[in-house]
Amino acid sequence: MSGLVLAIDQGTTSTRAILFDGTMNVAGSGQKEFAQHYPASGWVEHDPEEIWSSVIETVRAALKNAGRDASDVAAIGITNQRETVVIWDKATGKPIHNAIVWQDRRTAPLCQKLRKQGLEKKFTRKTGLLLDPYFSGTKIAWMLDKVKGARKRAEKGELLAGTIDSFLIWRLTGGKVHATDATNASRTLVYNIAENAWDEELLAILRIPAAMLPEVKDCADDYGITEKNLFGAEIRILGVAGDQHAATIGQACFEPGMMKSTYGTGCFALLNTGSDLVRSKNRLLTTIAYRLNGKTTYALEGSIFIAGAAVQWLRDGIKVIGKAEQSGKLAAEADPTQNVYLVPAFVGLGAPHWDAEARGAIFGLTRNTGPAEFARAALESVAYQTRDLLDAMHKDWKGAKAKTVLRVDGGMVASDWTMQRLADILDAPVDRPTILETTALGAAWLAGSKAGVWPKAREFAKTWALERRFVPDMESATRSVKLAGWRDAVRRTLSVP
């Protein structure tokens, strides 16, 4: 059987399809951006039909660029932007509303209402999550309440709901399979991660009919076969994982204590805790890292809403750079005597603060502050936020090593300046791998290993290769001053200091 495996990486701002060969190298790829919709302040939506079209277009492009046919592909692995949710008609497959994106904050009032009812501890105990608009459950409830006739139709069994992976699986299989994997399910706010099942009590609180939801499978499992007319031949779908979980797998973080952080639109750090379901006391998330062969591996996660999006803001919002890759060079030119802090709470603050009402702020401006200082502040904000997560993880789990080595991936890690500053602020080594397509690689490995054409976990881990290690090179006193300034800036930004 061919060792070719296709990864569909459906992200927040673009869709990519990457064809990996039997040696796990890229044979061909396709990428397409799609529109971001902002119908109201704090609201973010995607058109599911545009996402669907981008998937078909990029898969065909990847095959064409590799000079291969769909019949050559052993399996498909899917990874996706998590928490973004769609409701669609069971008969036609047509969405009833735009997808509500993970960044969207419209359900903050509902989350606040549930907190006032004393329900957050119940949700956290069962799901490992907090009552925040970030997660899928309240988004589903909002659509059922706000789209005319949706709730009645859902109760009649006419509608289906799911994260982007479920929607794509449904479409790819011609409506034959309604499924998701344990990692995506664990981000919905209605999945019991200890029992590995949809939670009837939580579904009742949010008034979500259980029949709408997909079957939950292992990350490497049988998710059906694509329709022949889509790509010219049927292809088995054998792997699914949310993007951050796929990156954890792609970074070969299979052992407890290993940690990865992905720097894309947001930043997401996962610390593998093995079979230990850690209850965070520092407002981190407890999540399913992956589930293989029926065995669940857990993780502590810290979610930062704005990472690469801060660089996009530099480029598109205040236009101090023309291209994202210019940010590191500009930051290096900043005046070292100015301590300018950007708290990028554009859509609220994630872990460990979880303040949906906070909004972005800049501190420390002087008459001499210019584009270079803004660039440095934007990039440093990512390092500071990561430090906050790492500190919380060390407090939460006895298995966390005092000196953690962080494996990184995502678009931002190509910047040497940013990675060096990250190591400086963390006071810990930062390892950048040779293969940066770790999210797609993780999805591909799930499918390839299930298909029997790629190695099992132990052998796959041996293929991970270091491109460069960044080691701390900042004086302790300087680091302390900078961290104190950051913590003061965050305190001033919180909606309830």
Side-chain angles (χ1 to χ4, degrees), residues 27 31 331 406 451:
Q31 181 169 359
L406 180 65

Side-chain angles (χ1 to χ4, degrees), residues 460-481:
F460 173 67
K462 293 178 182 178
T463 68
W464 187 92
L466 177 69
E467 184 267 331
R468 179 174 173 182
R469 169 169 283 191
F470 296 86
V471 296
D473 188 30
M474 179 181 283
E475 292 185 3
S476 178
T478 302
R479 181 185 303 110
S480 297
V481 169

Side-chain angles (χ1 to χ4, degrees), residues 444-463:
W445 177 78
L446 289 169
S449 61
K450 181 66 176 178
V453 299
W454 279 21
K456 297 301 182 183
R458 188 183 298 269
E459 292 303 312
F460 173 67
K462 293 178 182 178
T463 68

Side-chain angles (χ1 to χ4, degrees), residues 162-384:
T163 42
I164 294 295
D165 60 303
S166 296
F167 177 66
L168 295 180
I169 292 165
W170 177 266
R171 285 285 182 93
L172 289 166
T173 62
K176 294 183 180 67
V177 179
H178 186 37
T180 190
D181 84 295
T183 69
N184 277 295
S186 75
R187 313 298 296 188
T188 59
L189 204 62
V190 288
Y191 189 74
N192 190 311
I193 61 172
E195 298 178 2
N196 269 286
W198 298 117
D199 192 282
E200 293 183 6
E201 183 180 17
L202 301 183
L203 289 171
I205 291 170
L206 293 177
R207 299 173 63 214
I208 298 172
M212 298 181 72
L213 300 176
E215 177 187 359
V216 181
K217 294 174 172 279
D218 283 358
C219 298
D221 212 326
D222 182 1
Y223 288 88
I225 301 172
T226 64
E227 294 276 271
K228 182 178 180 179
N229 66 318
L230 294 175
F231 310 120
E234 295 178 339
I235 310 175
R236 294 185 297 167
I237 306 170
L238 295 180
V240 177
D243 51 10
Q244 305 313 318
H245 313 266
T248 302
I249 293 166
Q251 289 277 31
C253 291
F254 292 124
E255 298 297 325
M258 297 185 75
M259 181 179 176
K260 77 87 201 175
S261 191
T262 298
Y263 296 93
T265 303
C267 164
F268 304 88
L270 269 75
L271 175 70
N272 184 326
T273 62
S275 59
D276 193 357
L277 196 164
V278 178
R279 305 288 184 181
S280 176
K281 295 180 175 63
N282 293 279
R283 294 182 69 76
L284 296 175
L285 306 177
T286 306
T287 195
I288 293 176
Y290 47 83
R291 195 175 84 194
L292 298 172
N293 301 315
K295 181 181 177 182
T296 301
T297 296
Y298 295 98
L300 279 173
E301 177 177 331
S303 306
I304 297 169
F305 297 152
I306 300 295
V311 178
Q312 292 174 332
W313 174 72
L314 291 175
R315 183 191 66 192
D316 304 332
I318 60 175
K319 303 185 187 305
V320 299
I321 56 173
K323 296 180 180 179
E325 53 267 28
Q326 295 171 340
S327 58
K329 181 180 178 181
L330 186 59
E333 299 171 359
D335 178 0
T337 66
Q338 293 191 52
N339 283 318
V340 179
Y341 295 93
L342 167 66
V343 183
F346 301 146
V347 290
L349 285 172
H353 310 288
W354 294 105
D355 188 341
E357 303 305 319
R359 288 297 178 264
I362 299 175
F363 299 92
L365 298 179
T366 71
R367 182 62 182 83
N368 293 326
T369 301
E373 287 72 36
F374 275 91
R376 187 185 63 188
L379 296 180
E380 283 187 332
S381 74
V382 178
Y384 291 133

Side-chain angles (χ1 to χ4, degrees), residues 69-123:
D69 296 322
S71 58
D72 299 325
V73 180
I76 288 176
I78 297 174
T79 183
N80 56 287
Q81 51 168 318
R82 302 175 305 170
E83 294 95 15
T84 298
V85 71
V86 187
I87 296 180
W88 65 94
D89 187 298
K90 187 177 181 179
T92 67
K94 184 178 180 181
I96 67 167
H97 189 275
N98 271 349
I100 300 182
V101 179
W102 59 272
Q103 298 163 310
D104 190 280
R105 313 305 289 171
R106 76 186 66 188
T107 64
L110 174 56
C111 292
Q112 181 64 21
K113 177 183 176 182
L114 294 171
R115 276 194 294 271
K116 287 182 177 179
Q117 292 173 356
L119 293 172
E120 183 163 60
K121 286 186 178 179
K122 184 186 295 289
F123 276 91

